[in-house]
Amino acid sequence: MRPTKNTLFLVFGFLCIYSCTPKKPVDREGFRQEKAARELKRIAPADLMQKGEQLGEEILSATASAYLNTLKRAIVENGISGAIGFCQLSASGIASDLQDSLGVTISRVTDKPRNPVNTLSASDKAIWEAYEYVPENLDGQIQEYDTENLIYTKPITIGSTLCLNCHGRAGSDITPENYSLIKSQYPDDQAINYEVGDFRGMWRILLPKKAVVSKL
Ligand code: HEC
């Protein structure tokens, strides 16, 4: 049987549709990232830093007051010994909420940690030393951290005698019972012998530039 005009047309049409169908799915993620990068470029670095500083300040003040309120409430309700687990950011829940919603990372770091996870990293050292060099500088600071993140930092001082209950002199400010409780949970504890006004640590908020841009 000779192919009719119609069957030829069908075969040709099929071949055409087949060869014209894209074999690779559209790279939507790549396109999105490229667009985001282009948008980033249009934003002046000074505006990015200014927004980052504002966002860092807002996050810090919300986190610091939630943490302090949680700690104080725990002391009132359970006494010092019952509040030992409450000088933690996770206790207030706010840090993890912000971590989830904005992708920011909030932590406290120090040269004399109680919990070793709070040890200053090599990259934090330069910022830390600048604060140590000018101890009266208690300002928050925004800096570029890497290509994707800004970092907002602020010194933590021993604000009142409340802190000395767990960070003062062991055996006097910290009762022997409370100190042995602390030592049982933190065998390598170094966070003692502070006095009111001492430089105790540093807030450290890692802000993804994308999160800062989304707020502009
Ligand atoms: C009831 C005891 C208690 C009180 C009061 C207390 N802390 Fe703490 N603090 C701890 C414990 C326990 C840790 C370890 C938390 C962890 O595991 O992350 C800690 C950790 C810290 C850290 C993180 C660095 C590190 O050493 O691990 C900083 C900073 C800090 N405290 C500052 C303060 C300040 C400032 C005050 C006063 C407002 C205060 N603390 C009051 C028990 C206390």
Side-chain angles (χ1 to χ4, degrees):
M1 194 187 83
R2 287 190 52 209
T4 65
K5 220 174 168 188
N6 272 354
T7 41
L8 274 177
F9 195 67
L10 263 175
V11 170
F12 180 74
F14 174 75
L15 279 176
C16 181
I17 287 166
Y18 178 77
S19 59
C20 295
T21 310
K23 307 211 168 35
K24 261 190 0 195
V26 181
D27 184 5
R28 287 188 195 285
E29 179 55 19
F31 175 70
R32 200 188 58 74
Q33 282 181 358
E34 193 262 341
K35 187 164 172 279
R38 264 190 293 126
E39 279 170 1
L40 255 180
K41 269 190 218 136
R42 259 188 264 135
I43 292 163
D47 291 342
L48 187 74
M49 295 306 257
Q50 197 183 18
K51 192 71 200 174
E53 184 166 29
Q54 188 195 337
L55 196 61
E57 257 165 36
E58 282 170 18
I59 293 173
L60 182 55
S61 74
T63 310
S65 59
Y67 139 78
L68 207 58
N69 288 342
T70 311
L71 177 65
K72 283 181 180 162
R73 197 172 336 115
I75 293 176
V76 170
E77 285 170 7
N78 315 310
I80 297 294
S81 62
I84 285 171
F86 288 84
C87 187
Q88 281 185 20
L89 294 186
S90 54
S92 68
I94 191 161
S96 55
D97 286 353
L98 283 162
Q99 247 142 264
D100 292 347
S101 61
L102 278 178
V104 302
T105 311
I106 309 169
S107 50
R108 295 174 305 170
V109 287
T110 178
D111 59 341
K112 294 202 304 171
R114 173 152 291 166
N115 187 333
V117 303
N118 300 326
T119 308
L120 275 175
S121 74
S123 62
D124 299 330
K125 278 243 165 71
I127 307 177
W128 174 271
E129 279 164 8
Y131 280 125
E132 258 188 340
Y133 191 65
V134 189
E136 59 278 14
N137 174 16
L138 301 179
D139 292 343
Q141 276 184 34
I142 188 85
Q143 297 184 28
E144 175 121 26
Y145 185 72
D146 57 24
T147 51
E148 283 167 14
N149 298 285
L150 302 180
I151 185 170
Y152 183 80
T153 53
K154 194 166 186 168
I156 301 171
T157 53
I158 295 286
S160 71
T161 50
L162 174 93
C163 314
L164 300 184
N165 286 297
C166 301
H167 296 295
R169 252 172 291 274
S172 54
D173 298 324
I174 313 175
T175 65
E177 299 76 35
N178 287 341
Y179 190 52
S180 59
L181 214 55
I182 289 171
K183 278 296 236 187
S184 69
Q185 291 173 38
Y186 303 94
D188 300 323
D189 179 37
Q190 300 178 49
I192 56 166
N193 292 327
Y194 287 99
E195 286 173 16
V196 172
D198 280 352
F199 183 25
R200 164 75 183 97
M202 184 171 91
W203 289 99
R204 181 186 184 286
I205 303 180
L206 216 55
L207 296 158
K209 289 182 188 173
K210 268 189 259 174
V212 180
V213 168
S214 75
K215 297 278 175 189
L216 270 165

mmCIF file of all heavy atoms in Angstrom, residues 108-150:
data_model
loop_
_atom_site.group_PDB
_atom_site.id
_atom_site.type_symbol
_atom_site.label_atom_id
_atom_site.label_comp_id
_atom_site.label_asym_id
_atom_site.label_seq_id
_atom_site.Cartn_x
_atom_site.Cartn_y
_atom_site.Cartn_z
ATOM 1 N N ARG A 108 25.638 33.016 71.101
ATOM 2 C CA ARG A 108 26.484 33.815 71.991
ATOM 3 C C ARG A 108 27.831 33.118 72.039
ATOM 4 O O ARG A 108 27.880 31.899 72.191
ATOM 5 C CB ARG A 108 25.893 33.870 73.398
ATOM 6 C CG ARG A 108 24.569 34.589 73.493
ATOM 7 C CD ARG A 108 23.975 34.470 74.885
ATOM 8 N NE ARG A 108 23.856 33.099 75.304
ATOM 9 C CZ ARG A 108 23.539 32.699 76.538
ATOM 10 N NH1 ARG A 108 23.309 33.589 77.469
ATOM 11 N NH2 ARG A 108 23.451 31.428 76.850
ATOM 12 N N VAL A 109 28.891 33.886 71.890
ATOM 13 C CA VAL A 109 30.218 33.263 71.917
ATOM 14 C C VAL A 109 31.080 33.979 72.955
ATOM 15 O O VAL A 109 30.793 35.119 73.340
ATOM 16 C CB VAL A 109 30.903 33.324 70.526
ATOM 17 C CG1 VAL A 109 30.258 32.344 69.565
ATOM 18 C CG2 VAL A 109 30.890 34.730 69.951
ATOM 19 N N THR A 110 32.113 33.293 73.396
ATOM 20 C CA THR A 110 32.953 33.855 74.446
ATOM 21 C C THR A 110 34.330 33.202 74.458
ATOM 22 O O THR A 110 34.514 32.129 73.879
ATOM 23 C CB THR A 110 32.265 33.659 75.823
ATOM 24 O OG1 THR A 110 33.100 34.172 76.849
ATOM 25 C CG2 THR A 110 31.990 32.200 76.116
ATOM 26 N N ASP A 111 35.276 33.877 75.132
ATOM 27 C CA ASP A 111 36.616 33.281 75.281
ATOM 28 C C ASP A 111 36.665 32.326 76.475
ATOM 29 O O ASP A 111 37.586 31.532 76.598
ATOM 30 C CB ASP A 111 37.675 34.390 75.416
ATOM 31 C CG ASP A 111 37.425 35.303 76.619
ATOM 32 O OD1 ASP A 111 36.276 35.330 77.134
ATOM 33 O OD2 ASP A 111 38.359 36.007 77.043
ATOM 34 N N LYS A 112 35.682 32.451 77.412
ATOM 35 C CA LYS A 112 35.674 31.557 78.582
ATOM 36 C C LYS A 112 34.312 30.870 78.651
ATOM 37 O O LYS A 112 33.433 31.276 79.428
ATOM 38 C CB LYS A 112 35.913 32.369 79.865
ATOM 39 C CG LYS A 112 37.306 32.995 79.947
ATOM 40 C CD LYS A 112 37.704 33.317 81.391
ATOM 41 C CE LYS A 112 36.742 34.211 82.119
ATOM 42 N NZ LYS A 112 36.996 34.352 83.548
ATOM 43 N N PRO A 113 34.102 29.857 77.829
ATOM 44 C CA PRO A 113 32.756 29.279 77.738
ATOM 45 C C PRO A 113 32.395 28.364 78.908
ATOM 46 O O PRO A 113 33.274 27.724 79.492
ATOM 47 C CB PRO A 113 32.819 28.455 76.447
ATOM 48 C CG PRO A 113 34.246 28.082 76.311
ATOM 49 C CD PRO A 113 35.049 29.195 76.924
ATOM 50 N N ARG A 114 31.116 28.340 79.187
ATOM 51 C CA ARG A 114 30.578 27.312 80.082
ATOM 52 C C ARG A 114 30.243 26.103 79.210
ATOM 53 O O ARG A 114 30.692 25.015 79.467
ATOM 54 C CB ARG A 114 29.316 27.856 80.780
ATOM 55 C CG ARG A 114 28.586 26.819 81.592
ATOM 56 C CD ARG A 114 27.840 27.458 82.748
ATOM 57 N NE ARG A 114 28.755 27.981 83.747
ATOM 58 C CZ ARG A 114 28.405 28.825 84.730
ATOM 59 N NH1 ARG A 114 27.161 29.242 84.819
ATOM 60 N NH2 ARG A 114 29.293 29.249 85.597
ATOM 61 N N ASN A 115 29.482 26.375 78.155
ATOM 62 C CA ASN A 115 29.182 25.322 77.182
ATOM 63 C C ASN A 115 30.183 25.446 76.024
ATOM 64 O O ASN A 115 30.232 26.492 75.363
ATOM 65 C CB ASN A 115 27.748 25.511 76.671
ATOM 66 C CG ASN A 115 27.315 24.367 75.788
ATOM 67 O OD1 ASN A 115 28.146 23.725 75.159
ATOM 68 N ND2 ASN A 115 26.031 24.117 75.739
ATOM 69 N N PRO A 116 30.969 24.400 75.773
ATOM 70 C CA PRO A 116 32.014 24.511 74.747
ATOM 71 C C PRO A 116 31.489 24.868 73.352
ATOM 72 O O PRO A 116 32.255 25.394 72.534
ATOM 73 C CB PRO A 116 32.668 23.118 74.724
ATOM 74 C CG PRO A 116 32.048 22.334 75.829
ATOM 75 C CD PRO A 116 30.924 23.093 76.436
ATOM 76 N N VAL A 117 30.197 24.652 73.082
ATOM 77 C CA VAL A 117 29.696 25.024 71.746
ATOM 78 C C VAL A 117 29.716 26.547 71.559
ATOM 79 O O VAL A 117 29.642 27.039 70.432
ATOM 80 C CB VAL A 117 28.266 24.506 71.422
ATOM 81 C CG1 VAL A 117 28.166 23.008 71.535
ATOM 82 C CG2 VAL A 117 27.205 25.172 72.265
ATOM 83 N N ASN A 118 29.832 27.290 72.669
ATOM 84 C CA ASN A 118 29.835 28.755 72.580
ATOM 85 C C ASN A 118 31.249 29.351 72.463
ATOM 86 O O ASN A 118 31.432 30.543 72.652
ATOM 87 C CB ASN A 118 29.132 29.349 73.802
ATOM 88 C CG ASN A 118 27.682 28.889 73.914
ATOM 89 O OD1 ASN A 118 27.020 28.691 72.901
ATOM 90 N ND2 ASN A 118 27.188 28.719 75.123
ATOM 91 N N THR A 119 32.218 28.514 72.155
ATOM 92 C CA THR A 119 33.597 28.999 72.019
ATOM 93 C C THR A 119 33.737 29.879 70.774
ATOM 94 O O THR A 119 33.202 29.551 69.715
ATOM 95 C CB THR A 119 34.568 27.795 71.892
ATOM 96 O OG1 THR A 119 34.311 26.916 72.979
ATOM 97 C CG2 THR A 119 36.010 28.237 71.916
ATOM 98 N N LEU A 120 34.475 30.973 70.915
ATOM 99 C CA LEU A 120 34.743 31.870 69.777
ATOM 100 C C LEU A 120 35.378 31.089 68.633
ATOM 101 O O LEU A 120 36.325 30.332 68.862
ATOM 102 C CB LEU A 120 35.809 32.889 70.194
ATOM 103 C CG LEU A 120 35.439 34.146 70.920
ATOM 104 C CD1 LEU A 120 36.708 34.886 71.297
ATOM 105 C CD2 LEU A 120 34.566 35.033 70.055
ATOM 106 N N SER A 121 34.906 31.306 67.423
ATOM 107 C CA SER A 121 35.552 30.653 66.280
ATOM 108 C C SER A 121 36.699 31.545 65.812
ATOM 109 O O SER A 121 36.772 32.725 66.179
ATOM 110 C CB SER A 121 34.554 30.467 65.151
ATOM 111 O OG SER A 121 34.307 31.712 64.541
ATOM 112 N N ALA A 122 37.561 30.983 64.985
ATOM 113 C CA ALA A 122 38.710 31.762 64.499
ATOM 114 C C ALA A 122 38.230 33.028 63.791
ATOM 115 O O ALA A 122 38.812 34.099 63.957
ATOM 116 C CB ALA A 122 39.546 30.897 63.570
ATOM 117 N N SER A 123 37.134 32.907 63.036
ATOM 118 C CA SER A 123 36.678 34.081 62.284
ATOM 119 C C SER A 123 36.017 35.127 63.187
ATOM 120 O O SER A 123 35.914 36.293 62.810
ATOM 121 C CB SER A 123 35.733 33.672 61.157
ATOM 122 O OG SER A 123 34.596 33.067 61.698
ATOM 123 N N ASP A 124 35.567 34.738 64.383
ATOM 124 C CA ASP A 124 34.974 35.725 65.312
ATOM 125 C C ASP A 124 36.052 36.495 66.070
ATOM 126 O O ASP A 124 35.777 37.554 66.639
ATOM 127 C CB ASP A 124 34.122 35.033 66.386
ATOM 128 C CG ASP A 124 32.963 34.248 65.812
ATOM 129 O OD1 ASP A 124 32.468 34.641 64.753
ATOM 130 O OD2 ASP A 124 32.565 33.251 66.448
ATOM 131 N N LYS A 125 37.251 35.941 66.103
ATOM 132 C CA LYS A 125 38.306 36.480 66.973
ATOM 133 C C LYS A 125 38.620 37.946 66.707
ATOM 134 O O LYS A 125 38.779 38.732 67.637
ATOM 135 C CB LYS A 125 39.585 35.644 66.832
ATOM 136 C CG LYS A 125 39.586 34.380 67.666
ATOM 137 C CD LYS A 125 40.704 34.420 68.726
ATOM 138 C CE LYS A 125 40.515 33.363 69.802
ATOM 139 N NZ LYS A 125 40.767 32.001 69.323
ATOM 140 N N ALA A 126 38.688 38.307 65.402
ATOM 141 C CA ALA A 126 39.069 39.686 65.069
ATOM 142 C C ALA A 126 38.039 40.671 65.618
ATOM 143 O O ALA A 126 38.397 41.726 66.168
ATOM 144 C CB ALA A 126 39.203 39.837 63.567
ATOM 145 N N ILE A 127 36.768 40.309 65.484
ATOM 146 C CA ILE A 127 35.697 41.199 65.970
ATOM 147 C C ILE A 127 35.782 41.289 67.496
ATOM 148 O O ILE A 127 35.708 42.363 68.082
ATOM 149 C CB ILE A 127 34.301 40.662 65.556
ATOM 150 C CG1 ILE A 127 34.253 40.395 64.050
ATOM 151 C CG2 ILE A 127 33.219 41.633 65.979
ATOM 152 C CD1 ILE A 127 32.947 39.791 63.559
ATOM 153 N N TRP A 128 35.982 40.144 68.113
ATOM 154 C CA TRP A 128 36.096 40.060 69.581
ATOM 155 C C TRP A 128 37.239 40.940 70.078
ATOM 156 O O TRP A 128 37.096 41.719 71.022
ATOM 157 C CB TRP A 128 36.329 38.596 69.963
ATOM 158 C CG TRP A 128 36.602 38.365 71.414
ATOM 159 C CD1 TRP A 128 37.817 38.379 72.025
ATOM 160 C CD2 TRP A 128 35.643 38.108 72.436
ATOM 161 N NE1 TRP A 128 37.682 38.131 73.365
ATOM 162 C CE2 TRP A 128 36.361 37.956 73.643
ATOM 163 C CE3 TRP A 128 34.252 37.983 72.450
ATOM 164 C CZ2 TRP A 128 35.722 37.684 74.853
ATOM 165 C CZ3 TRP A 128 33.624 37.718 73.659
ATOM 166 C CH2 TRP A 128 34.352 37.570 74.843
ATOM 167 N N GLU A 129 38.384 40.838 69.417
ATOM 168 C CA GLU A 129 39.562 41.592 69.870
ATOM 169 C C GLU A 129 39.350 43.095 69.731
ATOM 170 O O GLU A 129 39.817 43.867 70.555
ATOM 171 C CB GLU A 129 40.808 41.131 69.103
ATOM 172 C CG GLU A 129 41.351 39.845 69.721
ATOM 173 C CD GLU A 129 42.329 39.103 68.828
ATOM 174 O OE1 GLU A 129 42.720 39.657 67.786
ATOM 175 O OE2 GLU A 129 42.671 37.957 69.188
ATOM 176 N N ALA A 130 38.598 43.486 68.686
ATOM 177 C CA ALA A 130 38.318 44.919 68.521
ATOM 178 C C ALA A 130 37.485 45.429 69.707
ATOM 179 O O ALA A 130 37.732 46.520 70.218
ATOM 180 C CB ALA A 130 37.589 45.164 67.212
ATOM 181 N N TYR A 131 36.533 44.608 70.154
ATOM 182 C CA TYR A 131 35.736 45.011 71.322
ATOM 183 C C TYR A 131 36.607 45.042 72.580
ATOM 184 O O TYR A 131 36.465 45.924 73.421
ATOM 185 C CB TYR A 131 34.574 44.037 71.545
ATOM 186 C CG TYR A 131 33.372 44.275 70.652
ATOM 187 C CD1 TYR A 131 32.852 43.264 69.856
ATOM 188 C CD2 TYR A 131 32.731 45.511 70.634
ATOM 189 C CE1 TYR A 131 31.732 43.471 69.052
ATOM 190 C CE2 TYR A 131 31.614 45.727 69.831
ATOM 191 C CZ TYR A 131 31.127 44.696 69.046
ATOM 192 O OH TYR A 131 30.018 44.911 68.268
ATOM 193 N N GLU A 132 37.479 44.076 72.702
ATOM 194 C CA GLU A 132 38.351 44.027 73.883
ATOM 195 C C GLU A 132 39.290 45.225 73.930
ATOM 196 O O GLU A 132 39.628 45.733 74.988
ATOM 197 C CB GLU A 132 39.205 42.755 73.824
ATOM 198 C CG GLU A 132 38.704 41.675 74.725
ATOM 199 C CD GLU A 132 39.658 40.491 74.797
ATOM 200 O OE1 GLU A 132 40.505 40.337 73.894
ATOM 201 O OE2 GLU A 132 39.557 39.728 75.735
ATOM 202 N N TYR A 133 39.704 45.650 72.730
ATOM 203 C CA TYR A 133 40.661 46.749 72.621
ATOM 204 C C TYR A 133 40.028 48.065 73.069
ATOM 205 O O TYR A 133 40.683 48.904 73.671
ATOM 206 C CB TYR A 133 41.117 46.844 71.158
ATOM 207 C CG TYR A 133 42.293 47.743 70.925
ATOM 208 C CD1 TYR A 133 43.537 47.438 71.472
ATOM 209 C CD2 TYR A 133 42.167 48.904 70.160
ATOM 210 C CE1 TYR A 133 44.620 48.264 71.266
ATOM 211 C CE2 TYR A 133 43.249 49.736 69.949
ATOM 212 C CZ TYR A 133 44.473 49.411 70.507
ATOM 213 O OH TYR A 133 45.540 50.234 70.310
ATOM 214 N N VAL A 134 38.748 48.229 72.755
ATOM 215 C CA VAL A 134 38.028 49.443 73.192
ATOM 216 C C VAL A 134 36.834 48.981 74.044
ATOM 217 O O VAL A 134 35.710 48.900 73.575
ATOM 218 C CB VAL A 134 37.525 50.263 71.981
ATOM 219 C CG1 VAL A 134 36.991 51.622 72.429
ATOM 220 C CG2 VAL A 134 38.613 50.436 70.937
ATOM 221 N N PRO A 135 37.094 48.633 75.315
ATOM 222 C CA PRO A 135 36.045 47.986 76.118
ATOM 223 C C PRO A 135 34.804 48.838 76.329
ATOM 224 O O PRO A 135 33.739 48.293 76.576
ATOM 225 C CB PRO A 135 36.740 47.697 77.455
ATOM 226 C CG PRO A 135 38.105 48.222 77.370
ATOM 227 C CD PRO A 135 38.348 48.807 76.031
ATOM 228 N N GLU A 136 34.953 50.163 76.199
ATOM 229 C CA GLU A 136 33.761 51.000 76.406
ATOM 230 C C GLU A 136 32.826 50.979 75.191
ATOM 231 O O GLU A 136 31.705 51.476 75.233
ATOM 232 C CB GLU A 136 34.120 52.437 76.803
ATOM 233 C CG GLU A 136 34.969 53.219 75.830
ATOM 234 C CD GLU A 136 36.473 52.912 75.972
ATOM 235 O OE1 GLU A 136 36.865 51.918 76.625
ATOM 236 O OE2 GLU A 136 37.260 53.677 75.397
ATOM 237 N N ASN A 137 33.305 50.368 74.086
ATOM 238 C CA ASN A 137 32.456 50.281 72.901
ATOM 239 C C ASN A 137 31.490 49.103 73.029
ATOM 240 O O ASN A 137 31.862 47.955 72.858
ATOM 241 C CB ASN A 137 33.318 50.104 71.646
ATOM 242 C CG ASN A 137 32.477 49.872 70.410
ATOM 243 O OD1 ASN A 137 31.271 50.120 70.416
ATOM 244 N ND2 ASN A 137 33.105 49.387 69.351
ATOM 245 N N LEU A 138 30.248 49.435 73.353
ATOM 246 C CA LEU A 138 29.253 48.373 73.516
ATOM 247 C C LEU A 138 28.266 48.367 72.354
ATOM 248 O O LEU A 138 27.190 47.777 72.430
ATOM 249 C CB LEU A 138 28.498 48.559 74.836
ATOM 250 C CG LEU A 138 29.349 48.551 76.103
ATOM 251 C CD1 LEU A 138 28.489 48.762 77.342
ATOM 252 C CD2 LEU A 138 30.116 47.232 76.240
ATOM 253 N N ASP A 139 28.651 49.065 71.269
ATOM 254 C CA ASP A 139 27.730 49.193 70.143
ATOM 255 C C ASP A 139 27.627 47.905 69.340
ATOM 256 O O ASP A 139 28.583 47.148 69.224
ATOM 257 C CB ASP A 139 28.215 50.283 69.182
ATOM 258 C CG ASP A 139 28.126 51.654 69.805
ATOM 259 O OD1 ASP A 139 27.405 51.793 70.816
ATOM 260 O OD2 ASP A 139 28.787 52.574 69.285
ATOM 261 N N GLY A 140 26.445 47.734 68.747
ATOM 262 C CA GLY A 140 26.277 46.651 67.788
ATOM 263 C C GLY A 140 27.007 47.018 66.499
ATOM 264 O O GLY A 140 27.139 48.201 66.187
ATOM 265 N N GLN A 141 27.494 46.027 65.820
ATOM 266 C CA GLN A 141 28.230 46.295 64.569
ATOM 267 C C GLN A 141 27.813 45.332 63.492
ATOM 268 O O GLN A 141 27.638 44.143 63.750
ATOM 269 C CB GLN A 141 29.714 46.073 64.815
ATOM 270 C CG GLN A 141 30.395 47.269 65.406
ATOM 271 C CD GLN A 141 31.880 47.037 65.546
ATOM 272 O OE1 GLN A 141 32.473 46.346 64.717
ATOM 273 N NE2 GLN A 141 32.465 47.590 66.577
ATOM 274 N N ILE A 142 27.697 45.878 62.280
ATOM 275 C CA ILE A 142 27.386 45.015 61.142
ATOM 276 C C ILE A 142 28.617 44.928 60.246
ATOM 277 O O ILE A 142 29.321 45.918 60.069
ATOM 278 C CB ILE A 142 26.144 45.552 60.367
ATOM 279 C CG1 ILE A 142 25.681 44.570 59.307
ATOM 280 C CG2 ILE A 142 26.410 46.904 59.739
ATOM 281 C CD1 ILE A 142 24.761 43.521 59.814
ATOM 282 N N GLN A 143 28.895 43.738 59.777
ATOM 283 C CA GLN A 143 30.043 43.547 58.875
ATOM 284 C C GLN A 143 29.697 42.501 57.845
ATOM 285 O O GLN A 143 28.799 41.692 58.051
ATOM 286 C CB GLN A 143 31.259 43.047 59.663
ATOM 287 C CG GLN A 143 31.722 44.033 60.681
ATOM 288 C CD GLN A 143 32.979 43.577 61.405
ATOM 289 O OE1 GLN A 143 33.784 42.838 60.863
ATOM 290 N NE2 GLN A 143 33.130 44.025 62.614
ATOM 291 N N GLU A 144 30.471 42.526 56.757
ATOM 292 C CA GLU A 144 30.330 41.467 55.760
ATOM 293 C C GLU A 144 30.983 40.222 56.358
ATOM 294 O O GLU A 144 32.091 40.297 56.895
ATOM 295 C CB GLU A 144 31.062 41.910 54.492
ATOM 296 C CG GLU A 144 31.109 40.865 53.427
ATOM 297 C CD GLU A 144 30.460 41.336 52.134
ATOM 298 O OE1 GLU A 144 30.439 42.563 51.904
ATOM 299 O OE2 GLU A 144 29.992 40.471 51.375
ATOM 300 N N TYR A 145 30.299 39.080 56.275
ATOM 301 C CA TYR A 145 30.876 37.848 56.828
ATOM 302 C C TYR A 145 31.467 36.995 55.718
ATOM 303 O O TYR A 145 32.613 36.577 55.772
ATOM 304 C CB TYR A 145 29.793 37.075 57.583
ATOM 305 C CG TYR A 145 30.301 35.845 58.283
ATOM 306 C CD1 TYR A 145 31.100 35.960 59.418
ATOM 307 C CD2 TYR A 145 29.978 34.576 57.820
ATOM 308 C CE1 TYR A 145 31.575 34.828 60.064
ATOM 309 C CE2 TYR A 145 30.437 33.451 58.469
ATOM 310 C CZ TYR A 145 31.242 33.579 59.582
ATOM 311 O OH TYR A 145 31.697 32.459 60.224
ATOM 312 N N ASP A 146 30.661 36.720 54.687
ATOM 313 C CA ASP A 146 31.158 36.042 53.486
ATOM 314 C C ASP A 146 30.267 36.466 52.328
ATOM 315 O O ASP A 146 29.479 37.401 52.470
ATOM 316 C CB ASP A 146 31.214 34.512 53.681
ATOM 317 C CG ASP A 146 29.863 33.920 54.057
ATOM 318 O OD1 ASP A 146 28.833 34.550 53.738
ATOM 319 O OD2 ASP A 146 29.839 32.844 54.666
ATOM 320 N N THR A 147 30.359 35.781 51.188
ATOM 321 C CA THR A 147 29.596 36.265 50.032
ATOM 322 C C THR A 147 28.089 36.202 50.284
ATOM 323 O O THR A 147 27.337 36.963 49.686
ATOM 324 C CB THR A 147 29.926 35.453 48.773
ATOM 325 O OG1 THR A 147 29.779 34.071 49.115
ATOM 326 C CG2 THR A 147 31.317 35.744 48.264
ATOM 327 N N GLU A 148 27.658 35.322 51.168
ATOM 328 C CA GLU A 148 26.211 35.158 51.347
ATOM 329 C C GLU A 148 25.642 35.756 52.628
ATOM 330 O O GLU A 148 24.431 35.873 52.759
ATOM 331 C CB GLU A 148 25.873 33.666 51.323
ATOM 332 C CG GLU A 148 25.885 33.157 49.909
ATOM 333 C CD GLU A 148 25.870 31.659 49.814
ATOM 334 O OE1 GLU A 148 25.593 30.994 50.828
ATOM 335 O OE2 GLU A 148 26.152 31.173 48.721
ATOM 336 N N ASN A 149 26.511 36.118 53.571
ATOM 337 C CA ASN A 149 26.014 36.538 54.886
ATOM 338 C C ASN A 149 26.649 37.827 55.393
ATOM 339 O O ASN A 149 27.814 38.099 55.113
ATOM 340 C CB ASN A 149 26.323 35.455 55.931
ATOM 341 C CG ASN A 149 25.645 34.148 55.624
ATOM 342 O OD1 ASN A 149 24.448 34.002 55.819
ATOM 343 N ND2 ASN A 149 26.406 33.199 55.105
ATOM 344 N N LEU A 150 25.838 38.539 56.192
ATOM 345 C CA LEU A 150 26.373 39.633 57.004
ATOM 346 C C LEU A 150 26.429 39.107 58.433
ATOM 347 O O LEU A 150 25.749 38.140 58.769
ATOM 348 C CB LEU A 150 25.447 40.842 56.953
ATOM 349 C CG LEU A 150 25.141 41.452 55.580
ATOM 350 C CD1 LEU A 150 24.204 42.655 55.756
ATOM 351 C CD2 LEU A 150 26.418 41.900 54.881
#
